[in-house]
Amino acid sequence: MTETDPNDPVAVALELERLRGTLEAGFARVDGSLALLVQRSDQTDRQLADHEARLDALERSRWPLSSIAALTASAGLALALWEIGVR
């Protein structure tokens, strides 16, 4: 790294231009990284919404199972009592 003479306006301008280029390259990398993070966040949000919808559908379709089990148990009990009464 060369030392810049603070009294030489051309040398100062060149160093400022180099710094500007370095900053622009850095900001471009940061912008790209942020855009990628936003894209991944959007994908995660869509996946989460899809999973929530699928879970809701599973929960809605599950409620008749307990009712069917209770009806089957009641029918079995009634049949057992009827057979006991017939004897």
Side-chain angles (χ1 to χ4, degrees), residues 1-2 4 10-25:
M1 183 168 197
T2 61
T4 305
V10 173
V12 170
L14 287 174
E15 283 298 316
L16 286 175
E17 188 58 34
R18 273 190 229 146
L19 282 173
R20 179 177 173 223
T22 302
L23 283 174
E24 284 179 354

Side-chain angles (χ1 to χ4, degrees), residues 29-43:
R29 280 195 308 273
V30 169
D31 284 344
S33 296
L34 287 175
L36 181 62
L37 287 174
V38 168
Q39 180 184 16
R40 287 183 180 169
S41 175
D42 290 344
Q43 289 173 348

Side-chain angles (χ1 to χ4, degrees), residues 39-56:
Q39 180 184 16
R40 287 183 180 169
S41 175
D42 290 344
Q43 289 173 348
T44 302
D45 289 344
R46 283 192 300 272
Q47 283 181 337
L48 182 60
D50 178 53
H51 286 240
E52 286 179 4
R54 290 171 50 199
L55 183 60
D56 288 343

